[in-house]
Amino acid sequence: MPLAIELAASLAATLALRDIADRLDHQFRLLDARDTASPGRHGGLDTAVQWSYDLLSEPEQLLFERLSAFGGGFALDGAEAVAGDARLPAPDVAAHLSALVSRSLVQLEEISPERGRYRMLEPLRQYARARLADRGEAATTAERHARHHLALIEEAEPLFYQAGSVPWLKRIRTENENLRAALQWAFGPDGDGQLGARMAALPWHPWDLAGARAEGLHWIDAGLQVVGASGPERRMQLLAAATLLRLGLGEIDTARELATEQLGLARVHGDRRWEGDALTRIGMIAWTRGDLSAATIHFGQAVDALRAAQDRWRESITQAHLARVRRGVNIIRRGRHGNVAAIPAGDAHVAECRRAGCAVVFRTHHQPRVKGAGQIIVLGNTQTCPTRPIRRHVKIDYIPE
């Protein structure tokens, strides 16, 4: 918005740039405190927006205000779902949205043959939110916004684990700001905690892929505070999501506690799917701690439970973990019988591992496509082994005794 830039720039003669930047969260207070003698739309940012707003028809004003519920951008179908009602029929939203774009009150952010995406500049969004609150509709619009995005994530979540999941993962990533806004409302003082818990349990996979585990856990933990043992299905879903994200952060003990609670609930309620899911996580934790015998048992029990539940996706994942453990056991057995050549005693990795208390180091097959590549098997403490961060051309597996 050129006027906003012009107004902010005019303050540089009297205020430090950092002081201006820090106070732009209150754009209208700062940028409207100008010479009030200036006529019409040139009086300040608030005056300019008010001038543009007053030129809108009543339905356009209503749409402009309701679109402020979106924390990020939005598509036309989202605008219709959140802003449309008896006073502003959904079929009319497209024409009114086009008018707002033509007046530069909404930006067309991107467009493709399939769909367009729109965004409101933050100063305009703040103004619209204030007008929506004055109208007494802020709470109802926020709820419609949250329910729309709950429906979106409920539609997308089962498709994350199938072929062709990439478009859905991209769409959810695009809606990240809106999901955050919906969760903030749901867990806020005027929100709906149960709705928030339903939403928080679902997008753990996108959070995990994006490295946003800490944020995901913030919302999942909020959901766990809302959902007690009286809602076992939702609680098991939240526990499963929390366990996976805690594992991703390396918080093994906490993950074990969460998975154990999930396993107990699943067995009490006879839910084989969540029982198998919990056993898989407990097996992963046993593997991480070097207890291959326990990992084999837990993974085997998980496969049986998931097969009984006919959950083929989770069963296939658990089968892969079980195969990995069995492969490790076989490598150890071959190594102890002299079938794997030991790394020369002078190898720097051997010296480091032995100082850390690791028992034996073996090099297995050579990778012909990568010069000097091979596999190092460390039998010892997986947490303290100094070769842990080494990657270069060497793949490192840890198989404690």
Side-chain angles (χ1 to χ4, degrees):
M1 179 178 288
L3 178 59
I5 296 172
E6 180 183 345
L7 291 170
S10 70
L11 294 168
T14 55
L15 294 174
L17 293 179
R18 172 54 56 191
D19 290 337
I20 296 172
D22 288 345
R23 286 157 179 79
L24 285 179
D25 284 343
H26 306 287
Q27 285 101 330
F28 294 120
R29 184 180 302 175
L30 180 65
L31 300 184
D32 210 44
R34 312 301 299 149
D35 183 3
T36 57
S38 299
R41 62 193 179 96
H42 299 289
L45 182 59
D46 188 35
T47 305
V49 176
Q50 178 72 48
W51 182 82
S52 297
Y53 176 85
D54 289 341
L55 294 176
L56 300 176
S57 66
E58 172 63 23
E60 290 168 354
Q61 290 179 346
L62 191 57
L63 177 61
F64 174 65
E65 294 169 13
R66 289 177 177 177
L67 292 177
S68 67
F70 288 93
F74 56 90
L76 176 58
D77 58 351
E80 290 171 336
V82 173
D85 65 2
R87 295 170 57 203
L88 181 61
D92 296 342
V93 167
H96 297 315
L97 178 59
S98 179
L100 293 178
V101 172
S102 68
R103 295 177 183 275
S104 299
L105 292 172
V106 171
Q107 308 298 309
L108 178 57
E109 193 172 45
E110 59 183 77
I111 190 167
S112 70
E114 290 77 24
R115 61 196 291 118
R117 191 161 183 86
Y118 305 84
R119 178 181 289 272
M120 295 179 73
L121 296 176
E122 190 58 27
L124 299 176
R125 180 170 175 259
Q126 288 189 13
Y127 178 90
R129 283 171 65 89
R131 296 302 298 254
L132 187 66
D134 292 342
R135 198 185 286 266
E137 292 190 11
T140 55
T141 305
E143 182 176 357
R144 285 201 301 268
H145 174 271
R147 292 192 180 281
H148 169 69
H149 288 90
L150 173 62
L152 173 63
I153 193 68
E154 286 181 333
E155 179 185 4
E157 192 267 346
L159 304 174
F160 293 158
Y161 321 115
Q162 300 178 12
S165 64
V166 171
W168 282 101
L169 289 166
K170 286 182 176 178
R171 184 172 180 187
I172 294 305
R173 189 182 309 123
T174 299
E175 298 292 349
N176 186 56
E177 291 180 61
N178 283 312
L179 292 173
R180 185 180 295 130
L183 287 163
Q184 286 173 339
W185 171 82
F187 290 120
D190 301 318
D192 182 339
Q194 293 295 329
L195 184 153
R198 286 171 62 189
M199 182 178 291
L202 297 174
W204 67 265
H205 190 45
W207 280 327
D208 190 44
L209 290 176
R213 300 183 185 98
E215 180 180 2
L217 284 165
H218 171 77
W219 301 119
I220 291 168
D221 289 345
L224 286 169
Q225 293 293 318
V226 171
V227 179
S230 59
E233 174 68 21
R234 185 75 58 217
R235 187 164 183 84
M236 285 187 287
Q237 194 176 21
L238 288 161
L239 288 167
T243 300
L244 283 160
L245 295 184
R246 295 286 178 193
L247 279 172
L249 291 174
E251 299 176 8
I252 306 302
D253 292 338
T254 304
R256 184 69 163 79
E257 293 173 4
L258 293 165
T260 301
E261 181 185 347
Q262 179 187 335
L263 180 60
L265 277 173
R267 285 177 169 168
V268 165
H269 294 279
D271 192 316
R272 299 308 303 279
R273 180 177 68 135
W274 289 120
E275 177 187 356
D277 182 87
L279 285 166
T280 299
R281 308 302 160 223
I282 294 172
M284 291 170 62
I285 292 165
W287 165 257
T288 301
R289 289 175 168 169
D291 191 343
L292 300 189
S293 297
T296 302
I297 293 169
H298 292 312
F299 285 142
Q301 293 174 342
V303 167
D304 292 340
L306 293 168
R307 186 170 295 159
Q310 299 183 337
D311 190 328
R312 297 180 63 184
W313 182 78
R314 284 184 171 84
E315 181 190 347
S316 66
I317 295 295
T318 306
Q319 289 276 23
H321 287 309
L322 183 58
R324 183 185 180 202
V325 172
R326 286 173 174 166
R327 172 179 171 273
V329 171
N330 290 334
I331 289 174
I332 290 175
R333 288 172 179 167
R334 292 202 311 273
R336 286 175 177 164
H337 287 85
N339 295 328
V340 180
I343 294 177
D347 191 290
H349 299 314
V350 173
E352 290 183 64
C353 291
R354 285 178 177 167
R355 280 196 296 271
C358 300
V360 185
V361 180
F362 295 107
R363 185 187 299 279
T364 63
H365 62 280
H366 177 69
Q367 300 289 338
R369 289 180 296 176
V370 182
K371 183 178 180 181
Q375 187 174 64
I376 295 178
I377 310 299
V378 180
L379 308 182
N381 189 324
T382 69
Q383 300 300 317
T384 61
C385 181
T387 66
R388 185 179 183 85
I390 297 174
R391 287 296 179 264
R392 295 199 299 274
H393 297 303
V394 178
K395 178 183 176 183
I396 301 178
D397 280 354
Y398 295 92
I399 306 177
E401 291 185 305

